[in-house]
Structures are given as structure tokens and as C-alpha cells.
């Protein structure tokens, strides 16, 4: 772990490779697990505002789950998250054949909303946990992502580069530029400097 600004970052995001392989996993991260996508407090307001534009893209069972539970919920551990359909799929998940996609992102791609999707989804496989003084930035290893790890290794794309846009969205351009410097140092010397 190393400190970068007000974050504590795991070297695993520098050392592991990752490129989503939807043709192999079919978006399993959107339908697996036992909780919805983590949300920032400001994202709950965005979800409230954009729902009417996103709703036409959603499956009937997703709309039903959202109308019964809310556009976002407080999870069992007290965190904000997206609601689930029958404790499985994210309520915002839609399908293209067998592949899970995000209904919010589809509305974004159509130019109907200017918010791509929750930053936690955009960041995956990186997970960020906010604490009062800092945020922990970790690599989330999940066996459903084995095809993404294999493709990342084949293409030689480290995790942090795969989620560059999302990291900049979450922490800013300067933070990311500093991360790239640390990554280069780490590649040349696996004991990165402490900040």
C-alpha cells in the first residue's frame, strides 16, 4: 500500500492486468454478488433526477424493483447502493442477448443523460472505500473476472490503465498523473516511494 494525496492505494492495481471480456463473462459483475452497486451520496441525487429518462431502457422487473424499493437503497451494511431484482441482478441491468449491460449507460450513450453510470461500476475491478480521513483504493479479485485477467495479461494492460477514465472521474487528472509516475517507479523498483 502507498499513500497518494488523501488515498491509500494497493499496489495490486499496478501489478495486476485486466481488460473486461464481455464475450466471455457476459457482464456477470452486474448480476452476481449479494448487493447492489455502491453509490456516493451525490450520485443518489443524480439517480433521482435522471430516472424518468433511464426508465424506458429498463426491463419491467427492474422498473418494478425500483418502484418498490426506491431508485437507490441503504444496504444491510448501511452503505448506499442500487436496488436488486430478487436479491440478484442490479435493477438497472438490461440484456443484449446473454450479456448484461447498464440501462443508465444506454441512456447516456443515446445522449439522453450526461451521467455515464455509478462511478463504482465505472471503476470496477477497483473498489474505493471512503473513511473520514482518506479513501482506500483496492483491487477486487473475483473469479468471474478470470477472463478479464487473462485478456489483460495478453494485452499487457494494468488495472489502473484499464480504468483510467474512471479514476480521473473519481480523483482528478492530477491524482492520476501522479499515480502513473508511481506506477513507472514501481515497475522499475517494486518498493514504491511513500508519500
Amino acid at each position: 500500500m502507498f499513500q497518494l494525496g488523501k488515498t491509500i492505494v494497493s499496489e495490486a492495481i499496478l501489478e495486476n492486468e485486466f481488460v473486461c471480456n464481455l464475450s466471455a463473462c457476459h457482464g456477470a459483475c452486474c448480476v452476481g454478488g449479494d448487493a447492489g452497486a455502491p453509490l456516493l451520496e451525490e450520485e443518489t441525487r443524480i439517480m433521482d433526477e435522471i430516472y424518468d429518462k433511464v426508465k424506458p431502457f429498463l426491463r419491467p422487473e427492474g422498473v418494478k424493483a425500483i418502484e418498490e424499493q426506491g431508485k437507490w437503497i441503504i444496504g444491510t451494511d448501511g452503505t448506499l447502493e442500487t436496488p436488486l431484482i430478487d436479491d440478484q441482478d442490479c435493477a438497472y441491468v438490461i440484456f443484449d442477448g446473454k450479456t448484461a449491460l447498464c440501462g443508465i449507460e444506454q441512456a447516456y450513450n443515446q445522449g439522453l443523460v450526461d451521467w455515464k453510470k455509478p462511478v463504482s461500476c465505472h471503476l470496477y475491478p477497483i473498489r474505493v472505500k471512503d473513511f473520514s480521513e482518506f479513501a482506500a483504493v483496492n483491487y477486487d479479485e473475483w473469479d468471474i473476472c478470470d477472463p478479464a485477467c487473462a485478456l489483460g495479461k495478453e494485452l499487457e494492460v494494468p488495472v489502473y490503465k484499464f480504468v483510467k477514465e474512471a479514476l480521473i472521474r473519481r480523483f482528478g487528472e492530477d491524482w492520476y498523473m501522479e499515480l502513473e509516475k508511481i506506477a513507472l517507479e514501481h515497475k522499475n523498483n517494486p518498493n514504491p516511494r511513500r508519500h
Side-chain angles (χ1 to χ4, degrees):
M1 302 290 275
F2 59 91
Q3 185 171 350
L4 174 52
K6 292 190 175 197
T7 61
I8 304 296
V9 184
S10 168
E11 282 96 347
I13 74 166
L14 310 178
E15 297 166 351
N16 291 281
E17 288 114 349
F18 193 97
V19 172
C20 276
N21 187 348
L22 283 177
S23 63
C25 73
H26 304 292
C29 59
C30 299
V31 296
D34 55 6
L39 298 169
L40 299 171
E41 188 173 336
E42 58 267 23
E43 291 182 315
T44 61
R45 289 186 288 279
I46 294 168
M47 293 184 79
D48 287 340
E49 290 168 11
I50 67 171
Y51 178 70
D52 289 338
K53 292 178 181 172
V54 170
K55 183 178 175 180
F57 292 89
L58 303 179
R59 297 179 292 154
E61 54 267 49
V63 171
K64 182 175 186 277
I66 291 165
E67 290 178 355
E68 288 176 355
Q69 300 171 53
K71 297 171 189 84
W72 50 273
I73 63 168
I74 298 173
T76 55
D77 61 353
T79 58
L80 302 168
E81 58 191 53
T82 59
L84 298 177
I85 301 168
D86 299 326
D87 294 323
Q88 294 178 6
D89 302 5
C90 172
Y92 293 92
V93 163
I94 60 174
F95 287 93
D96 179 8
K98 295 188 299 183
T99 302
L101 300 172
C102 177
I104 299 168
E105 190 169 12
Q106 292 305 305
Y108 172 84
N109 291 341
Q110 297 285 324
L112 299 174
V113 299
D114 60 4
W115 187 67
K116 188 169 189 164
K117 58 185 165 184
V119 74
S120 67
C121 301
H122 200 187
L123 278 167
Y124 201 79
I126 289 180
R127 283 286 186 226
V128 176
K129 179 144 180 70
D130 288 302
F131 295 94
S132 57
E133 299 295 319
F134 67 93
V137 181
N138 291 298
Y139 171 55
D140 186 38
E141 293 186 62
W142 194 1
D143 59 355
I144 65 170
C145 291
D146 287 350
C149 297
L151 184 58
K153 188 175 258 343
E154 179 186 327
L155 299 175
E156 298 180 352
V157 177
V159 172
Y160 79 94
K161 284 188 178 180
F162 174 70
V163 295
K164 176 181 178 177
E165 181 185 332
L167 285 170
I168 290 171
R169 179 180 164 197
R170 181 67 162 84
F171 298 112
E173 185 90 39
D174 291 344
W175 184 94
Y176 187 83
M177 287 170 52
E178 189 64 25
L179 177 67
E180 283 193 318
K181 290 177 193 169
I182 292 168
L184 184 60
E185 287 177 17
H186 184 74
K187 189 174 183 179
N188 297 328
N189 173 11
N191 297 311
R193 63 185 173 167
R194 303 293 181 230
H195 291 263

